[in-house]
Each structure stands twice: as structure tokens, then as C-alpha cells.
Amino acid sequence: MDFKKRMKIRLWTNIIYIVLGVAMIAAGFITKTDNEFVSSFGLTLTVVGLALIKKNIITSEEKLKRREIVENDERNIAIVHKARSWAFSFYVILGCLAVIVLSLLSLQDIASWIGVGVFSLIAIYWICYFVVRRKY
């Protein structure tokens, strides 16, 4: 994919984050519930969207070219893949440990929700694995 097109897609994705964030903040104020999660999450989405737009705005062709080289560098790509792999592994291990500890503390409801999250992540991983394996 052309790098300029990829940057444009990122811009629109970040704009969608901002719109969803503002909508969630508005929904939190309109519903006037005691649950502050919706408006807090909306604020987080808005701030992340604004920060990513600021990060991805490139004013000159020279900066765009340097950014493209950095993002397409094999070392940086390997680092990103390794970090994702570690994050996945840590999440699964910590999730499994949390299920065990919460089960021992007789908090089965919470443990089952975390277990479903870990199972879902592993199921999505295997589906993606088989799709990517067929592709390559």
C-alpha cells in the first residue's frame, strides 16, 4: 500500500476516534447515570485521537520520506512484532494467573469473565494464524 494512502487512512481512523470519544462524552452527560466509564473512556479516545493526529501530521515531503523509511525498516518491523508477541504472552499468562487466584478467592463470576477474555484472545489468535498461514 502506498505510504501516503496509509497515512490518510490513519488520519481518518483518528478522526473516527475523536468523533466516537465526543459521542461517548455526550452520552455520558445526557444519560446522567452514576457510571462514569462511558464519559471517561470517551475522553480517553478523544485525547488519543488528537495525540495521534498531532503525531501523524507531516508538513514536508522530506519528513514524509524519512517517516516512510523508519516505518518500513525491517528492524523496526521486527521490534513491533516482538513487542506484540510479548504483550500477547504476558496477557495470557497474567489472565490465567488471575483466573486461578480469583477462583481460589471464591470470585467465580469475575474469574469466568477473565477466562472468557483469555479464551477469546487465544481463539482469535488461532483463527488469524490459520488465515495468515494460508496467505503465505
Side-chain angles (χ1 to χ4, degrees), residues 92-108:
V92 170
I93 291 169
L94 291 175
C96 291
L97 288 174
V99 168
I100 293 168
V101 170
L102 291 170
S103 295
L104 292 173
L105 295 174
S106 298
L107 298 170
Q108 271 72 22

Side-chain angles (χ1 to χ4, degrees), residues 13-27 38 41-43 45-46:
T13 303
N14 296 329
I15 289 171
I16 291 170
Y17 287 162
I18 294 169
V19 169
L20 286 173
V22 170
M24 290 176 81
I25 292 170
V38 174
F41 191 67
L43 179 64
L45 272 178
T46 304

Side-chain angles (χ1 to χ4, degrees), residues 30-47:
I30 290 171
T31 58
K32 296 180 183 175
T33 61
D34 291 336
N35 185 359
E36 296 175 1
F37 172 77
V38 174
S39 57
S40 299
F41 191 67
L43 179 64
T44 303
L45 272 178
T46 304
V47 169

